[in-house]
Amino acid sequence: MKNNYDVIVIGGGPAGLAAAIQAKDCGAEVLLVERESRLGGILKQCIHDGFGLVRFKEKLSGPEYAERFIDVFKEKKIDYSLLTFVTRIEKNAGGFQVVLVSRSGVTSVQAKSLVFATGCRERTAKQVMIHGTRPSGVFTAGTAQHFTNLLGELPTRKCVILGSGDIGLIMARRLTLEGAQVLGVYEAKPTPSGLTRNIHQCLHDYNIPIYLSHTVTRVFGQDRLTAVEISEVDENMTPIAGTEKIVECDALILSVGLIPENELAEGLGVKIDPRTKGPAVNGQLMTSVDGVFSCGNALHVNDLVDYVSESGEIAGKNAAEYAQGARNEIGIDIAGSFLYAVPQKLDLNRNNSEITVYFRSREILDKSVFKILVDGKEVYAKKYQFLRPPEMERLLINFDSFGLTKDSQIQFEIEVNSQ
């Protein structure tokens, strides 16, 4: 490890690996920092297939997908440090001073730019306001996956899954295959949160029931979970009195959402978008702090790892080519049924001819049109047969063709076609 680098990438998952490789290909000296003992991020424990369909046009398991990037990463002899934590980042005239703690002790490294590829974390029982005692047997879906796939330990014999996120659906199938009984998947929303393919492949194919507009309101047990209380919820997802029922089980597995991990970024003063829970970025994925880039699930939660790698490459390329200079940014407003859209702004001093736009709808929509308006005039439109919140949409837009100026007003809009 040297004392100075052009780019430091924080996080060694699929986004961080892609960012480091792309930055290296652009001629930058790169250091990748990873807090775990192995590269690959969450993919190490995702032994199911379905990865790489977009990028490699074939079904890969999580470790197989990660290995393809790790092989390229090591071939390029990119510097990296495992079991290493970033404890402090300070902005200075030359860029950023990053303080690292590892088995070798405390070191300080200088970088011209940073890429945050720190992924996301799972919401816990406390964050979804489940009442009762605090027995063992309450797991996030990722923790249950870690026990089962990496440690070879079955964390439950009879369980309830709260939330229909993709990890929860995949674990419903995985635990069933390992001999556990999954009594049901309970979802507070009126529609499933996971991908349609996972609903069919993980639940329907294994006769695992899913109960919509239901939630867990209480847990029972002292040393170990013995039962949970299930209640129906209304349209505001408020439990309905009198609908409670007790379900005996030895584990509650939570798949109730992911939150981008951005404590380090926030410590630098990076502005966070309340919709994505990740940094607000421009078309080059640079945050509100000059020289700081964000990608992958730290930027917004993706449903396909292929798009995680893609955003990593965009951030890595722009971090490598970063040169301090004045910004000329204009914001992008969103109207209609958007859950969120990325990027949130454009820098007119940069090349915006190939900007990747990611968005999700706030609700299930049938025939719809995604539109881009500049000063109230429609300049781009794309039709969709349907839009679903669990399925992120991706577009490649040439914003330079719209004749934008510093006074331009850009708006993304979803128009529902009633015909």
Side-chain angles (χ1 to χ4, degrees):
M1 187 188 301
K2 297 185 280 289
N3 293 324
N4 287 277
Y5 289 90
D6 297 315
V7 179
I8 292 180
V9 178
I10 302 172
L17 289 167
I21 292 168
Q22 191 65 38
K24 184 72 171 181
D25 286 345
C26 291
E29 284 296 314
V30 182
L31 171 66
L32 184 146
V33 178
E34 169 56 48
R35 66 186 179 187
E36 295 188 6
S37 60
R38 293 164 55 195
L39 296 171
I42 197 66
L43 293 181
K44 297 189 294 291
Q45 66 189 50
C46 299
I47 64 173
H48 54 280
D49 67 8
F51 300 90
L53 290 171
V54 176
R55 176 175 289 265
F56 299 115
K57 310 301 181 187
E58 59 180 305
K59 286 184 178 181
L60 302 173
S61 68
E64 287 174 326
Y65 184 95
E67 198 66 30
R68 295 201 178 189
F69 284 87
I70 293 170
D71 289 344
V72 174
F73 178 86
K74 291 184 176 178
E75 283 173 9
K76 295 182 180 296
K77 296 181 169 54
I78 300 171
D79 287 356
Y80 65 101
S81 183
L82 302 177
L83 291 172
T84 303
F85 290 80
V86 177
T87 59
R88 190 170 73 254
I89 304 174
E90 294 180 357
K91 190 169 176 56
N92 54 32
F96 303 90
Q97 195 74 19
V98 182
V99 178
L100 308 174
V101 175
S102 67
R103 290 166 294 182
S104 303
V106 180
T107 55
S108 183
V109 185
Q110 179 73 23
K112 296 177 182 177
S113 61
L114 302 176
V115 176
F116 284 103
T118 45
C120 55
R121 65 178 185 270
E122 296 178 277
R123 281 192 172 90
T124 64
K126 185 176 180 181
Q127 290 173 295
V128 292
M129 306 298 288
I130 296 176
H131 301 289
T133 53
R134 298 185 63 185
S136 63
V138 180
F139 305 95
T140 63
T143 301
Q145 189 178 58
H146 179 84
F147 271 104
T148 307
N149 294 347
L150 291 184
L151 302 182
E153 299 286 348
L154 189 62
T156 177
R157 291 292 179 184
K158 186 167 67 172
C159 69
V160 162
I161 296 179
L162 175 62
S164 58
D166 288 310
I167 305 175
L169 299 177
I170 288 164
M171 282 311 297
R173 176 180 61 185
R174 184 78 180 98
L175 292 169
T176 299
L177 290 171
E178 288 298 326
Q181 182 183 4
V182 179
L183 299 174
V185 174
Y186 294 87
E187 170 59 59
K189 297 177 183 177
T191 56
S193 299
L195 294 172
T196 301
R197 74 181 189 200
N198 285 333
I199 296 291
H200 288 279
Q201 294 174 2
C202 300
L203 299 188
H204 296 170
D205 289 356
Y206 291 87
N207 296 316
I208 300 170
I210 180 169
Y211 302 93
L212 301 176
S213 298
H214 284 73
T215 192
V216 174
T217 47
R218 192 176 176 189
V219 297
F220 301 93
Q222 293 302 319
D223 296 330
R224 178 78 188 197
L225 185 76
T226 58
V228 296
E229 179 186 80
I230 306 289
S231 299
E232 296 180 28
V233 299
D234 60 20
E235 62 274 10
N236 298 315
M237 291 191 287
T238 302
I240 301 171
T243 63
E244 303 89 350
K245 66 176 182 179
I246 305 300
V247 177
E248 294 184 359
C249 57
D250 66 5
L252 170 63
I253 295 174
L254 303 171
S255 180
V256 290
L258 303 169
I259 303 172
E261 192 83 67
N262 282 298
E263 281 75 9
L264 286 172
E266 289 184 84
L268 273 174
V270 168
K271 292 181 180 177
I272 301 298
D273 183 341
R275 292 175 179 264
T276 62
K277 305 297 189 296
V281 295
N282 60 22
Q284 289 68 43
L285 301 190
M286 186 160 71
T287 69
S288 59
V289 176
D290 289 344
V292 177
F293 297 80
S294 180
C295 60
N297 284 344
L299 176 59
H300 64 104
V301 177
N302 294 254
D303 47 11
L304 296 178
V305 72
D306 309 73
Y307 297 147
V308 167
S309 300
E310 177 185 59
S311 68
E313 289 169 342
I314 295 170
K317 175 181 183 296
N318 288 294
E321 297 174 351
Y322 170 71
Q324 292 184 355
R327 296 201 206 188
N328 183 18
E329 290 184 339
I330 56 176
I332 298 175
D333 295 324
I334 59 177
S337 299
F338 279 99
L339 184 61
Y340 69 75
V342 175
Q344 292 88 348
K345 50 193 173 181
L346 293 174
D347 186 350
L348 300 184
N349 290 343
R350 301 288 182 263
N351 180 359
N352 296 304
S353 61
E354 291 187 348
I355 298 299
T356 304
V357 173
Y358 305 97
F359 75 91
R360 293 181 192 266
S361 63
R362 188 175 61 238
E363 58 217 359
I364 295 176
L365 302 174
D366 290 327
K367 292 182 179 180
S368 307
V369 183
F370 170 89
K371 295 182 177 181
I372 300 178
L373 307 178
V374 175
D375 297 327
K377 180 182 178 182
E378 181 182 314
V379 295
Y380 177 91
K382 179 176 173 59
K383 295 181 179 179
Y384 290 90
Q385 287 299 311
F386 61 87
L387 293 170
R388 297 183 68 245
E391 297 172 6
M392 187 185 73
E393 302 295 336
R394 171 193 176 277
L395 295 168
L396 194 63
I397 305 293
N398 179 4
F399 284 95
D400 285 343
S401 67
F402 300 153
L404 300 173
T405 69
K406 65 178 182 179
D407 297 318
S408 296
Q409 293 183 332
I410 306 175
Q411 185 176 71
F412 292 170
E413 181 179 292
I414 295 177
E415 182 181 285
V416 179
N417 189 344
S418 58
Q419 296 181 351

